[in-house]
Amino acid sequence: MLRLWGLRLRWQRPPALGIPAKNLGLRKVASGISPPGNTSPRALNIFDRDLKRKQKNWAARQPEPMKFDYLKEEVGSRIADRVYDIARNFSLALDVGCGRGYIAQHLNKETVGKFFQVDIAENALKNTLEMEIPTVSVLADEEFLPFRENTFDLVVSSLSLHWVNDLPRALEQIHYVLKPDGVFIGAMFGGDTLYELRCSLQLAETEREGGFSPHVSPFTAVNDLGHLLGRAGFNTLTVDTDEIQVNYPGMFELMEDLQGMGESNCAWNRKPLLHRDTMLAAAAVYGEMYGSEDGSVPATYQIYYMIGWKYHDSQARPAERGSATVSFGELGKINNLMSQEKKSQ
């Protein structure tokens, strides 16, 4: 686990060298927002997507939005590292739920030829970070991608899909727009994210008000993620988890940063207000249970990283069941024969 210590740490990579802002490439804005009510009949209506759009727009309008970008910057750079690990060039790529462009800024035009960035928040698209890749910004919902089948060589997504009501549909849409042998690389918050905040609020609310309401949104379990990717049509799956721990001066500073990230809770069953006494009690519980000697408190962000490929005939496939010519019991004999042969040489 990577622990990132300090009070409200900020990550900021320098812009690409030698590329003036006016020559950053093509940046257009198109709209592909789906009409209201155009949802899958199987979808669970957990999140208020219109409220989430307003939250992200509000965060992008702040005078210094980069002050709250440290977590999304870090995860975006880790997804970019995974893109670089794949030894190929991608002529056309798509970022689903791009925010201010936390992945594209870490990629170069030798790896990605052209980048489409999709988000529901128009202010985030208008306030994107500097990048050297030619970019087209598209206002659209992650569940209703306005692109044709077999369009992109690469699709990425960073810390956006945990707010989607119909995650299976969103993954199916990503698979649909990928070309055969295209790859999807994504990251989303895991179930243990902000467990310190969740526990502190629940204990304080139970003690002060005789019960508690959810104040941290629900997250997908890692065991379900691989199944959802497979059901969407992806193969050669990779799912791994990581944790980033950030220290804050206190619970209220953490909640301020979550609001600045556009990560405030937007679940329909959220409780709109908490009593002042309950909030103060929760802050005291947080410090008592998790606080450090210097008075700071930690917040844990669990990240699920996923990689999935769209099928193509050129991809390696497992051999058919029963086609093996050597049993596992004979592997030891083969190793012995090979070692004896080396000695004789």
Side-chain angles (χ1 to χ4, degrees):
M1 179 178 72
L2 173 64
R3 294 182 181 268
L4 301 170
W5 298 106
L7 303 183
R8 294 202 283 174
L9 297 179
R10 311 294 180 210
W11 289 287
Q12 180 66 49
R13 288 200 179 184
L17 298 178
I19 303 173
K22 64 181 180 179
N23 293 327
L24 288 177
L26 177 64
R27 182 169 296 169
K28 299 179 180 178
V29 178
S31 178
I33 290 289
S34 60
N38 188 16
T39 58
S40 170
R42 70 184 178 191
L44 295 174
N45 193 16
I46 301 172
F47 303 116
D48 183 346
R49 294 285 292 169
D50 185 58
L51 175 61
K52 176 52 58 183
R53 179 182 61 82
K54 293 177 181 178
Q55 290 173 349
K56 295 181 72 172
N57 273 326
W58 179 89
R61 284 198 308 266
Q62 297 313 296
E64 297 180 288
M66 68 288 299
K67 188 172 82 169
F68 304 102
D69 284 347
Y70 51 91
L71 183 64
K72 295 186 177 183
E73 286 260 2
E74 176 66 16
V75 176
S77 69
R78 296 187 185 190
I79 292 181
D81 288 341
R82 285 165 167 79
V83 174
Y84 287 127
D85 287 339
I86 301 174
R88 67 165 63 175
N89 298 325
F90 303 96
S91 59
L92 196 59
L94 170 67
D95 187 353
V96 178
C98 63
R100 297 180 59 237
Y102 303 106
I103 301 175
Q105 64 162 337
H106 298 297
L107 298 172
N108 56 49
K109 57 187 177 183
E110 286 75 28
T111 303
V112 176
K114 189 174 182 179
F115 215 73
F116 278 71
Q117 297 190 124
V118 168
D119 202 276
I120 61 172
E122 58 271 20
N123 288 332
L125 295 174
K126 294 175 183 177
N127 197 19
T128 52
L129 300 161
E130 293 185 356
M131 59 198 73
E132 66 174 82
I133 304 172
T135 304
V136 177
S137 296
V138 180
L139 184 64
D141 194 306
E142 291 94 334
E143 293 185 30
F144 303 94
L145 299 179
F147 303 107
R148 295 179 179 177
E149 186 178 8
N150 303 332
T151 299
F152 298 98
D153 306 284
L154 167 71
V155 176
V156 294
S157 179
S158 179
L159 301 185
S160 173
L161 294 177
H162 57 281
W163 292 121
V164 167
N165 277 312
D166 194 349
L167 183 58
R169 177 190 173 95
L171 294 175
E172 289 170 2
Q173 288 275 299
I174 291 171
H175 183 270
Y176 177 82
V177 301
L178 269 175
K179 293 179 181 178
D181 202 31
V183 59
F184 167 58
I185 304 176
M188 60 189 297
F189 284 126
D192 288 339
T193 295
L194 299 176
Y195 70 86
E196 303 98 339
L197 177 62
R198 185 187 298 114
C199 291
S200 300
L201 288 170
Q202 289 179 357
L203 288 172
E205 194 174 5
T206 300
E207 190 270 332
R208 294 301 176 101
E209 303 181 26
F212 66 88
S213 300
H215 299 286
V216 179
S217 68
F219 298 107
T220 303
V222 68
N223 294 336
D224 297 330
L225 196 53
H227 171 70
L228 291 175
L229 288 167
R231 196 172 76 175
F234 292 99
N235 57 21
T236 319
L237 304 176
T238 302
V239 177
D240 62 282
T241 66
D242 197 0
E243 288 185 355
I244 298 175
Q245 191 175 84
V246 183
N247 274 18
Y248 296 86
M251 187 190 80
F252 295 108
E253 287 79 6
L254 164 61
M255 297 178 75
E256 177 189 355
D257 275 24
L258 291 174
Q259 186 180 26
M261 296 177 194
E263 291 295 327
S264 299
N265 189 9
C266 69
W268 285 108
N269 64 348
R270 69 191 183 281
K271 190 175 182 178
L273 293 174
L274 271 175
H275 297 297
R276 180 174 181 272
D277 290 345
T278 302
M279 293 292 289
L280 293 173
V285 170
Y286 204 135
E288 181 67 25
M289 292 182 62
Y290 305 105
S292 304
E293 294 181 358
D294 61 1
S296 63
V297 296
T300 300
Y301 301 92
Q302 185 181 41
I303 315 295
Y304 296 157
Y305 295 94
M306 65 199 102
I307 301 177
W309 295 79
K310 189 169 183 177
Y311 175 78
H312 188 266
D313 290 338
S314 64
Q315 294 173 350
R317 286 173 287 179
E320 294 183 6
R321 186 178 180 88
S323 62
T325 57
V326 179
S327 67
F328 281 106
E330 295 176 325
L331 292 178
K333 298 178 182 178
I334 294 176
N335 289 334
N336 291 334
L337 290 173
M338 293 179 64
S339 60
Q340 293 175 5
E341 183 177 347
K342 290 181 179 179
K343 290 179 181 179
S344 64
Q345 293 176 350

